Amino acid sequence: TTSSWDGSTNVYPFGESNTATYGQTFTVGSETVLDTFSFFVDDNDHLVGSDFVDFEAYVYAWDGAKASGSALFSSGPNATTNNGGLGGFEKIEIETGGLTLATGAEYVAFFSASNLFDGVAGTSIWGYLGDVYDGGHFVYQNNGADFDALTTSAWTQRPGDDLAFEMEFSTTAAVPEPGTLGLIGASLLGLGAMRRRRGA
């Protein structure tokens, strides 16, 4: 959606202490391997607090009302950086390692601060625009530190709006280089030989 975003329109606040989860639903097309997804975030010291926002990135299936099942991807801890100290929006790109999804299925990619609350309020604003993407929309939840609510309670949905986001898909997951495969094979053969010697 970034080609339609003006670089400044935004929605807020995301972070600690309440609106801890922002995301975008999306529908998978013919390219089914999600390689990266990105959102545009600006630490907003002028609103609530001055702390950076600690968060984790996720991809879940979307059941039309909430995240569903177990995490298909989780990133571990991340944090905003105030655009490397320069201020303004920063593009936060998350590499999934090549996540294979299903054609035609709906998912939600999101950041959540819920598991990383540190007692210091800190929020951010996100790049945001009108409805330009037909395959999904902006969703969020005021779930505070309750991460489990993301799969048990309905999220607030904004079907007329999208986040400024980018996703990179490919048709197949990356496979090891031929040389790497040879090394793996040699290692396995070596292990097998060691086991035979020990058993002899």
Side-chain angles (χ1 to χ4, degrees):
T1 62
T2 53
S3 61
S4 300
W5 181 46
D6 62 10
S8 61
T9 301
N10 61 78
V11 62
Y12 65 85
F14 162 78
E16 189 173 350
S17 61
N18 189 18
T19 310
T21 304
Y22 269 20
Q24 174 80 29
T25 62
F26 64 98
T27 304
V28 177
S30 58
E31 295 184 326
T32 59
V33 179
L34 178 62
D35 297 310
T36 70
F37 65 94
S38 305
F39 295 119
F40 292 78
V41 183
D42 181 359
D43 296 307
N44 56 15
D45 296 350
H46 60 286
L47 291 178
V48 182
S50 59
D51 193 29
F52 293 133
V53 181
D54 300 313
F55 66 91
E56 296 167 310
Y58 295 91
V59 177
Y60 273 75
W62 180 254
D63 69 5
K66 62 187 185 303
S68 177
S70 301
L72 303 174
F73 167 81
S74 59
S75 69
N78 290 272
T80 58
T81 70
N82 195 27
N83 195 24
L86 300 175
F89 282 99
E90 61 181 312
K91 177 182 177 179
I92 300 180
E93 182 174 275
I94 304 297
E95 296 184 359
T96 67
L99 176 63
T100 301
L101 303 173
T103 298
E106 193 171 14
Y107 299 89
V108 59
F110 63 92
F111 292 172
S112 181
S114 296
N115 289 329
L116 300 174
F117 277 22
D118 59 10
V120 180
T123 59
S124 59
I125 64 179
W126 284 43
Y128 178 79
L129 65 166
D131 186 14
V132 299
Y133 170 62
D134 292 336
H137 51 268
F138 170 49
V139 294
Y140 67 92
Q141 196 177 112
N142 296 320
N143 62 305
D146 184 6
F147 187 83
D148 290 342
L150 299 177
T151 55
T152 59
S153 301
W155 297 33
T156 300
Q157 303 192 48
R158 299 286 293 268
D161 300 295
D162 293 303
L163 292 173
F165 76 96
E166 294 178 356
M167 292 185 173
E168 293 184 4
F169 284 87
S170 55
T171 53
T172 56
V175 296
E177 296 286 336
T180 305
L181 289 173
L183 289 172
I184 293 170
S187 299
L188 292 174
L189 287 172
L191 286 172
M194 287 176 63
R195 286 182 181 150
R196 282 197 296 273
R197 287 194 199 104
R198 286 179 181 166

